Amino acid sequence: MAQKTRRPLVSSRTKLLSESVIREMTRMADKYGALNLAQGFPDFAAPANIKAAAVKAIEEDYNQYAVTWGSPNLRSAICEKAAWFNGIRAEPDKNVTVTCGSTEAMMASVIALAEPGDEVIMFEPAYENYRPSTILAGATPVPVPLGQGFEIEEEPLKKAFGAQTKLIVVNTPHNPSGRVTTEAEMRLVADLCQDYGAIAITDEIYEHILYGGRKHISLATVGDMADRTVTISGVSKTYTATGWRIGYTIAEATLTGAIRKVHDYMTVCAPAPLQEAAAFALRLPRSFYTDLQRSYQKKRDFIVKGLKGIGFEFYDPEGAYYVLADFQNLSRTSDKDFSVAMTKDCKVAVVPGSSFYSDGRKGRTQVRFSYSKKESTLRKAVSMMEAYFASRRP
Ligand code: GLN
C-alpha cells in the first residue's frame, strides 16, 4: 500500500499572512454594538443619482460579463478624469484596467510586476494590504519608516533601494496618518526609481479628500514617471460606494498588458452594471468634488477638536479620513487592549496602531480613528468617549 505522506493542508504562503485587523475590528464592533470608527467606510448614503445610475444599468441589462479590462464606457470616463484631475494622459485601450476595487488593483499589479527575489519598498505606517499583496506575489516587502510627521525621509529611503528593488508603493493622501506627500518627496521617489529602474505603484484612493485647499499630485506626472508608475484609484471613497468594488489601474501599455492578464485569471471582470454607474459618477461636474471636500473638512475639524479635547495627541490629517492618535495621556495599556476596551466598554471601535507596522512593537501607543461617518455618529462617538475617559480619571 502506498505510504501516506503528511502534507500540510494549507500553503506556506498563507501562513505568512495574518487576518486583517481592520476587518476583525469591524466584526468586534458589530458583536458589541459599538460605533465603527475602525474600518474606513462611510455610514452615510451614497449619492442618489449614482445609485439611480446603477439601477438603470441593471434594468438596461448590463448583467453579463463586462469586457475583462473594463467596459469601454468606464475606461473612457477614467481617461477623461485622469486628464482633467490628475494631469495623466491615458488611452482607454492601452493604459486602463478596471479591477474589483483598488485592493485587487494593488494585488494584480504586484503579482504582474514582481517575482521571488524582487523587493517591494513600502513606507510605514502602512495600510495593511500592501504587505500581503507582496507576499502573495512571492516577493519581499521592505518597510521604510516615515519621519516624525509621516514625511518621506531621504536617508532611510536611499538605504532601502538596491539592485533587488522592483517596486515602491506610494500612498497619498496617506492611510493611516492623513499626510499628503509633497512634491519634493515625490521628486526624491522619482529620482530613485529612475536610478534603480524601479516602478512605483501609487494608491491614490483618497485623491479627492484633501483639507485646507491642498492639491493632489499624482506621481505619474512627476519627472519621467509616466512610464514607470501604476496609478491606482477607484470609486469606493470618492463616491461613497466601497461595496461596489470598482477600482482601476492606469499604466504604460506593457505594464497594463501584464496587469490585465493577472486580473483576467483572478476575477474576469468587475461587476458590469456598477461599471456603467461608475462611468456616470466619474463624469459628475466638478462641483461634486468641492462639495465632497467641504463635507469632509467639517467632519475632520469636528473629530480633530473632539479627540484633542479628550487628550489624544496626533498629527492633524491633511487628507484622507483617518486620525492616527497617541493615547498615552489616557492609558498605559497596549494598543490592542486599548482598542478592545474602547470597543467593548466605550462602544467606539478603533484600529490598534501596531497593525500598520510589520514590527508589532511599533504603534503600541496609537489607535486609528476613521471619520468617514455621519456628523451625528461623530458627535455621539465624541460624547461617549468624553464620558468614558472622564469616568476613568483618577
Ligand atoms: N481602506 C479602509 C481602511 O483602511 C478599508 C479597506 C477595507 O477594509 N477593505 O479601513
Side-chain angles (χ1 to χ4, degrees), residues 22-23 38-40 103 127 175 206 237 322 368:
I22 297 176
R23 265 79 82 192
Q39 197 174 10
T103 297
Y127 174 50
N175 176 8
Y206 303 100
K237 316 289 181 178
Y322 305 102
R368 189 195 74 173

Side-chain angles (χ1 to χ4, degrees), residues 147-151 176-180 182 185 214 300 304 308 312-319 322-326 366:
Q148 284 292 316
F150 304 107
E151 69 280 11
S177 74
R179 178 125 193 304
V180 171
T182 63
E185 289 162 5
R214 283 185 180 76
R300 173 216 183 254
V304 161
K308 281 194 176 151
F312 288 99
E313 286 183 348
F314 50 88
Y315 179 90
D316 291 3
E318 299 171 347
Y322 305 102
V323 173
L324 187 62
D326 191 294
Q366 297 169 326

Side-chain angles (χ1 to χ4, degrees), residues 134-378:
T134 304
I135 290 170
L136 289 174
T140 309
V142 175
V144 173
L146 289 167
Q148 284 292 316
F150 304 107
E151 69 280 11
I152 297 176
E153 292 183 318
E154 190 165 343
E155 274 322 299
L157 186 59
K158 275 191 169 156
K159 258 203 248 149
F161 266 88
Q164 307 308 317
T165 307
K166 181 68 198 285
L167 301 173
I168 175 167
V169 179
V170 176
N171 167 217
T172 183
H174 184 244
N175 176 8
S177 74
R179 178 125 193 304
V180 171
T181 308
T182 63
E183 198 168 346
E185 289 162 5
M186 299 256 191
R187 285 239 152 78
L188 171 68
V189 172
D191 288 347
L192 287 163
C193 284
Q194 296 290 345
D195 292 350
Y196 288 88
I199 293 164
I201 304 184
T202 64
D203 176 353
E204 303 183 29
I205 194 75
Y206 303 100
E207 62 192 348
H208 287 286
I209 305 174
L210 281 95
Y211 309 110
R214 283 185 180 76
K215 293 270 169 286
H216 177 71
I217 304 172
S218 288
L219 184 60
T221 64
V222 176
D224 297 324
M225 288 303 285
D227 287 346
R228 292 196 164 281
T229 305
V230 179
T231 304
I232 293 180
S233 195
V235 306
S236 294
K237 316 289 181 178
T238 306
Y239 308 101
T240 313
T242 58
W244 283 17
R245 312 315 298 131
I246 303 286
Y248 55 84
T249 63
I250 303 174
E252 175 277 338
T254 309
L255 303 182
T256 293
I259 293 167
R260 283 180 173 183
K261 278 192 225 170
V262 176
H263 159 70
D264 188 2
Y265 292 114
M266 203 141 57
T267 59
V268 180
C269 66
L274 303 181
Q275 291 196 42
E276 298 310 314
F280 168 84
L282 263 69
R283 291 192 176 109
L284 283 173
R286 297 183 194 192
S287 59
F288 171 82
Y289 303 97
T290 327
D291 293 347
L292 181 82
Q293 297 221 351
R294 197 172 305 128
S295 115
Y296 269 109
Q297 180 85 49
K298 260 171 100 179
K299 296 181 198 300
R300 173 216 183 254
D301 294 348
F302 178 81
I303 197 84
V304 161
K305 194 163 165 248
L307 293 178
K308 281 194 176 151
I310 292 165
F312 288 99
E313 286 183 348
F314 50 88
Y315 179 90
D316 291 3
E318 299 171 347
Y321 48 51
Y322 305 102
V323 173
L324 187 62
D326 191 294
F327 57 80
Q328 282 181 100
N329 288 339
L330 300 164
S331 168
R332 292 279 155 189
T333 54
S334 75
D335 61 324
K336 287 197 175 136
D337 290 345
F338 187 80
S339 301
V340 171
M342 285 277 292
T343 310
K344 278 192 187 169
D345 304 332
C346 174
K347 306 269 184 231
V348 175
V350 292
V351 179
S354 57
S355 56
F356 302 101
Y357 296 89
S358 48
D359 176 351
R361 289 167 303 185
K362 293 188 177 169
R364 292 287 295 262
T365 61
Q366 297 169 326
V367 288
R368 189 195 74 173
F369 292 86
S370 165
Y371 54 90
S372 60
K373 309 292 165 187
K374 288 184 257 194
E375 276 170 48
S376 57
T377 308
L378 296 176

